[in-house]
């Protein structure tokens, strides 16, 4: 997405390019899950997965597309105030779409693939955290410690060439690290099954993590 400054400049100074901006803008769409809604049971219920995917993620997609359409019109009308007002909606809903699109791929039915990291990923985890168990403890502590709604992440720091645990609030995407594993700790991700006991949800979710996807993302990041 073009920055506010660059798009505002285009709309106010280079009117002829508006047609090209409109032509390249594409709507985001709700991705299909790579498994059925009940595939993660008993750790995450089919009811949670269906509502989470078809209701919550779909809402982020719908609202992001609506905000993008309004933003395009504001550039055509040269309404800078409206352009600035829409940034929060774009960040929240766009982040919700990005985060969830990764989240679905970070999950897999229990027994599909390896139960724990292997190969290069396992070596990187052991190097940075001492052991897989210690990594899990630190990750869970970070996830449980998120105030309100947000995400817990395992990311790769390209500059330092190391793994790091991080958290983000609300639907903020992980920007300072390359995201490898993201766990949604909004209550809508677990409340119907685990009530307000986030630690129980975090304990259960390790049974359905897709370590192959995490390893592939690490390889690309490196």
């Amino acid at each position: 997405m073009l920055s506010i400054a660059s798009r505002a400049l285009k709309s106010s100074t280079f009117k002829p390019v508006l047609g090209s901006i409109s032509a390249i803008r594409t709507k985001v769409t709700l991705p299909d899950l790579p498994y059925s809604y009940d595939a993660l049971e008993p750790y995450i219920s089919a009811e949670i997965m269906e509502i989470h995917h078809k209701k919550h993620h779909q809402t982020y997609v719908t609202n992001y597309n609506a905000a993008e359409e309004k933003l395009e019109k504001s550039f055509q009308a040269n309404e800078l105030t409206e352009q600035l007002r829409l940034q929060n909606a774009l960040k929240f809903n766009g982040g919700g779409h990005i985060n969830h699109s990764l989240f679905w791929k970070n999950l897999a039915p229990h027994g599909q693939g390896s139960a724990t990291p292997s190969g290069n990923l396992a070596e990187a985890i052991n190097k940075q955290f001492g052991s897989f168990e210690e990594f899990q403890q630190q990750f869970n502590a970070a996830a449980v410690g998120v105030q309100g709604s947000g995400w817990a992440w395992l990311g790769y720091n390209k500059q330092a060439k190391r793994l790091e645990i991080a958290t983000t609030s609300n639907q903020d995407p992980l920007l300072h690290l390359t995201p490898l594993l993201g766990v949604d700790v909004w209550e809508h991700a677990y409340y119907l099954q685990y009530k307000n006991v986030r630690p129980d949800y975090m304990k259960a979710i390790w049974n359905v993590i897709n370590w192959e996807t995490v390893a592939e993302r690490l390889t690309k990041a490196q």
Side-chain angles (χ1 to χ4, degrees), residues 78-182:
N78 198 23
E79 297 175 343
L80 180 58
T81 300
E82 178 67 2
Q83 293 164 29
L84 295 173
R85 187 187 69 79
L86 288 166
Q87 293 309 302
N88 285 337
L90 289 167
K91 178 182 179 182
F92 180 81
N93 293 292
H97 174 59
I98 290 171
N99 293 347
H100 284 86
S101 295
L102 174 60
F103 181 55
W104 308 134
K105 294 179 181 179
N106 276 160
L107 303 176
H110 182 65
Q112 179 177 307
S114 58
T116 58
S118 60
N120 185 42
L121 176 60
E123 292 177 5
I125 288 176
N126 290 336
K127 178 181 178 180
Q128 191 62 41
F129 303 102
S131 68
F132 177 59
E133 291 72 21
E134 180 61 28
F135 158 69
Q136 285 181 302
Q137 292 178 17
Q138 292 186 32
F139 192 95
N140 283 2
V144 172
V146 172
Q147 298 295 311
S149 302
W151 290 74
W153 302 94
L154 174 66
Y156 183 68
N157 186 323
K158 290 186 176 182
Q159 287 69 40
K161 297 182 179 180
R162 69 186 183 198
L163 300 179
E164 295 181 12
I165 293 172
T167 62
T168 56
S169 299
N170 299 315
Q171 290 299 349
D172 291 355
L174 185 65
L175 299 178
H176 69 287
L177 302 171
T178 300
L180 307 179
L181 169 66

Side-chain angles (χ1 to χ4, degrees), residues 31-105:
D32 294 331
L33 294 186
Y35 38 74
S36 63
Y37 288 127
D38 63 355
L40 306 183
E41 291 189 336
Y43 307 103
I44 303 180
S45 71
E47 182 181 19
I48 287 177
M49 290 300 298
E50 184 170 7
I51 293 174
H52 199 170
H53 178 248
K54 292 174 68 174
K55 301 296 184 181
H56 291 280
H57 191 171
Q58 180 63 67
T59 297
Y60 300 130
V61 167
T62 300
N63 290 344
Y64 178 82
N65 287 330
E68 264 288 319
E69 185 175 347
K70 291 179 182 178
L71 184 66
E72 185 175 325
K73 291 179 180 179
S74 72
F75 281 118
Q76 294 172 353
N78 198 23
E79 297 175 343
L80 180 58
T81 300
E82 178 67 2
Q83 293 164 29
L84 295 173
R85 187 187 69 79
L86 288 166
Q87 293 309 302
N88 285 337
L90 289 167
K91 178 182 179 182
F92 180 81
N93 293 292
H97 174 59
I98 290 171
N99 293 347
H100 284 86
S101 295
L102 174 60
F103 181 55
W104 308 134
K105 294 179 181 179

